[in-house]
Amino acid sequence: MNNQLPQVSENQEFQKLACSELDLRRKEFSGCIFKKCDFSGCALSGSAFIDCSFIDCNFSNTKVDNCSFQNVCFENSKLLGVMFSTIDTLLIGWVYKKCNINLCDFSNLDIKNSQFLECEIRESDFVGANLYSSDFSGSSMSASKFQNTNLEKTNFVGAKDYYIDPRYNKLKEARFSYPEALSLLDSFGVKVEF
């Protein structure tokens, strides 16, 4: 493949794209599908992804400074060490399905209505984020941080391995399932016996 992509790509499908061979900064992708693409170590700075899907892609240590994600779906993809806290948040909208999300930073983002469905989320940071009415159903969230996070109306049904301190997060009308919901008592030192 030519190592240059046009400034604007619309309704295209990219397969097995190797980012190391391309300059993907300040590009616009609209209605595009990316399958089995390797964005590891790539700089997507200043690029916009609108109505795009990423399927079976690798985003290890991808740089997303001032990158825009509008109505984007990540499916069965690996996201490792991505600092989403530096993205352009205007009109952000995304869905993560069955993704491995490790050591990522979503802190201080206004990402209400986000969906993290059946994902493995490890050691990721949601401190200060607005996740109002988001959905973490079926996800595992070991060692992920929630502090000063708006989790009102957020769905945690079927989620597990989370630690959320009700004293330092907004949880009004959030939904949890048993027995994982008992972890909400951990910060109070309460022991539940059966």
Side-chain angles (χ1 to χ4, degrees):
M1 176 179 249
N2 180 345
N3 65 354
Q4 285 297 325
L5 286 176
Q7 200 64 31
V8 177
S9 297
E10 294 182 346
N11 303 315
Q12 293 187 36
E13 183 171 313
F14 300 96
Q15 292 201 27
K16 298 181 179 176
L17 193 68
C19 172
S20 60
E21 303 169 8
L22 301 167
D23 181 2
L24 296 177
R25 294 171 296 165
R26 295 177 295 283
K27 306 281 188 205
E28 182 178 312
F29 299 91
S30 180
C32 294
I33 298 172
F34 298 86
K35 290 184 179 175
K36 297 183 188 289
C37 295
D38 186 1
F39 295 95
S40 57
C42 182
L44 301 177
S45 308
S47 289
F49 296 91
I50 304 157
D51 301 319
C52 292
S53 295
F54 299 94
I55 303 164
D56 298 316
C57 292
N58 181 359
F59 286 87
S60 295
N61 300 308
T62 305
K63 292 170 183 52
V64 293
D65 303 336
N66 297 311
C67 194
S68 175
F69 296 98
Q70 299 174 28
N71 194 28
V72 169
C73 180
F74 296 89
E75 189 169 346
N76 217 29
S77 293
K78 176 183 177 183
L79 300 103
L80 170 68
V82 181
M83 302 294 288
F84 287 107
S85 57
T86 64
I87 64 170
D88 178 351
T89 56
L90 184 65
L91 302 173
I92 189 170
W94 53 28
V95 175
Y96 298 87
K97 296 178 184 174
K98 297 183 179 179
C99 290
N100 286 320
I101 302 170
N102 296 319
L103 299 166
C104 291
D105 185 1
F106 297 91
S107 62
N108 299 310
L109 288 176
D110 186 359
I111 48 176
K112 55 187 171 272
N113 302 309
S114 291
Q115 295 180 49
F116 297 85
L117 309 174
E118 297 178 41
C119 293
E120 288 288 327
I121 306 169
R122 294 186 182 176
E123 298 181 67
S124 292
D125 191 344
F126 295 92
V127 172
N130 181 5
L131 286 160
Y132 179 89
S133 196
S134 290
D135 193 346
F136 286 92
S137 57
S139 291
S140 172
M141 294 173 281
S142 63
S144 290
K145 291 183 191 174
F146 295 91
Q147 187 171 343
N148 298 322
T149 307
N150 184 353
L151 298 169
E152 293 178 321
K153 294 192 175 185
T154 295
N155 182 10
F156 288 96
V157 173
K160 60 184 182 177
D161 301 325
Y162 51 80
Y163 175 80
I164 300 170
D165 189 332
R167 297 171 299 175
Y168 303 111
N169 295 284
K170 295 179 182 178
L171 295 173
K172 186 176 181 181
E173 295 184 49
R175 296 173 43 217
F176 297 90
S177 55
Y178 178 84
E180 289 79 10
L182 294 175
S183 72
L184 296 171
L185 298 174
D186 288 349
S187 61
F188 298 104
V190 173
K191 304 241 187 258
V192 179
E193 297 179 11
F194 294 94

